[in-house]
Amino acid sequence: MAGDDTEPGRRTFLAVAAAGGCVIAGAVGAPALGFVGAPAMAAGSGGLRFVVGKLDDLDVGVPKKFAIVGDQVDAWTRAPRRKLGSVWLERTADREVRALNVTCPHLGCAIDVVADGAGKPTGYNCPCHDSNFELSGKRGEGPSPRDMDPLPVEIAADGTLTVTFKRFRIGTESREEVG
Ligand code: FES
């Protein structure tokens, strides 16, 4: 289930939405452009919030991949609905969800879920250089210099899931957020 998760360039993102649930979540704008839409956060300073779906979209112990899609803009151009990245969401208990960035910390390939012979997910693997991770995101064998990158996820009273999407520098042991 590999996908194109190469990191977009450092630009500014507007009008965010998630492909999984296709619900508008918020917006971000560069200082020169001002806000577009409701609450704004700058990329690289806490991430962008995306509503990705509902808790009931997830089965316990079965990670599901959600694409993060939004409009990318700079001072002169606007590229609508560009893929910004992807997240794995795993429901770990009745009202607990774990979110992990799909991008491999080694060199940025898309990490896949690994399942046993019965189809039960057992962990993650990056197909590019064979880095393995536990379902928790903890690093196993392979060249990845750190665990998968966790992302904040909120569960609203009605089950709506909101992920704060962030991107991190690849190839480093320490986790450094990048814009
Ligand atoms: S990019 Fe994932 S192991 Fe190299």
Side-chain angles (χ1 to χ4, degrees), residues 104 106-109 126 128-131 143:
C104 180
H106 181 222
L107 291 177
C109 290
C126 179
C128 287
H129 310 99
D130 204 22
S131 283

Side-chain angles (χ1 to χ4, degrees), residues 2 18-20 61 74 85 90 100 111-112 118 157 159 164-166:
D74 60 23
E90 180 199 356
L100 298 170
I111 292 171
D112 295 331
T164 301
F165 184 69
K166 305 175 185 180

Side-chain angles (χ1 to χ4, degrees), residues 158-173:
D158 68 353
T160 298
L161 301 172
T162 302
V163 171
T164 301
F165 184 69
K166 305 175 185 180
R167 290 176 294 150
F168 301 91
R169 193 173 309 286
I170 57 175
T172 60
E173 285 186 32

